[in-house]
């Protein structure tokens, strides 16, 4: 698979996750970068995302959701990069089965901030199951949470 096909496939996946998933839109998720090197998903704080009204911190469910989305996107990019002979049709079929098998989140500090950025790396890119490591930071670079996710990719 050429780099152009890889890039186009990931662009299409990012568009679906970024613009066509209602829950992602509700949270205000924005995919800033998505390629075979990694992913960057941003959420801006807004009153609807507060989980603790006294401390005005990000809800833990938002943190988990962002990390889960980052993990799934990361796992799929690992799949795309794993072979040179994928067809667009094979990858389109596989994206329809992308799902979370297991997700672990470690909350490191309260979710204080205005802009939260999730990033991910591939731990294992398998043909059917992949594993990702994800991190969430605020705009000051404070490490808010990290996670490990296992995803069905085929």
């Amino acid at each position: 698979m050429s780099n152009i096909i890889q890039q186009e496939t990931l662009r299409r996946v990012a568009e679906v996750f970024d613009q066509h998933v209602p829950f992602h839109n509700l949270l205000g998720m924005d995919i800033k970068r998505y390629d075979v090197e990694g992913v960057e998903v941003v959420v801006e704080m807004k009153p609807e995302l507060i989980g603790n009204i006294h401390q005005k911190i990000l809800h833990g469910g938002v943190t988990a959701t962002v990390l889960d989305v980052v993990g799934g996107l990361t796992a799929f990019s690992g799949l795309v990069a794993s072979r040179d002979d994928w067809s667009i049709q094979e990858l389109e079929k596989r994206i329809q089965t992308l799902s979370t098998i297991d997700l672990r989140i470690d909350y490191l500090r309260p979710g204080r901030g205005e802009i939260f950025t999730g990033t991910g790396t591939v731990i294992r890119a398998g043909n059917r199951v992949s594993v990702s490591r994800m991190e969430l930071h605020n705009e000051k670079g404070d490490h808010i949470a990290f996670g490990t996710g296992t995803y069905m990719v085929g």
Side-chain angles (χ1 to χ4, degrees):
M1 169 186 290
S2 73
N3 284 341
I4 294 171
I5 293 174
Q6 285 180 343
Q7 292 169 357
E8 177 61 17
T9 299
L10 295 179
R11 185 199 65 74
R12 289 181 188 182
V13 170
E15 181 180 322
V16 169
F17 272 70
D18 210 21
Q19 299 174 16
H20 300 291
V21 179
F23 188 57
H24 299 177
N25 296 335
L26 181 70
L27 296 179
M29 276 194 236
D30 185 18
I31 299 173
K32 295 292 186 185
R33 181 174 71 91
Y34 186 42
D35 54 42
V36 294
E37 301 299 318
V39 62
E40 189 173 296
V41 176
V42 173
V43 172
E44 293 186 24
M45 179 60 106
K46 55 185 179 179
E48 297 85 359
L49 302 183
I50 291 174
N52 182 315
I53 59 172
H54 303 292
Q55 296 185 37
K56 295 188 172 41
I57 59 176
L58 189 67
H59 191 286
V62 176
T63 297
T65 300
V66 171
L67 291 179
D68 189 26
V69 168
V70 166
L73 289 171
T74 299
F76 193 74
S77 72
L79 177 75
V80 169
S82 70
R83 285 182 18 201
D84 289 336
D85 61 346
W86 289 113
S87 71
I88 294 279
Q89 294 77 19
E90 286 177 296
L91 291 171
E92 284 177 348
K93 185 176 179 182
R94 283 178 177 257
I95 192 64
Q96 294 175 24
T97 64
L98 178 64
S99 58
T100 307
I101 295 171
D102 186 59
L103 181 66
R104 177 193 165 91
I105 305 295
D106 289 302
Y107 297 91
L108 304 175
R109 59 178 46 93
R112 290 190 180 91
E114 295 301 316
I115 301 171
F116 300 92
T117 303
T119 57
T121 55
V122 175
I123 294 174
R124 178 187 185 276
N127 189 41
R128 305 219 3 107
V129 175
S130 292
V131 181
S132 303
R133 182 179 193 284
M134 305 80 72
E135 297 186 2
L136 186 73
H137 293 84
N138 66 13
E139 74 280 2
K140 295 177 184 175
D142 295 333
H143 197 171
I144 304 300
F146 78 90
T148 305
T150 306
Y151 299 88
M152 179 68 65
V153 291

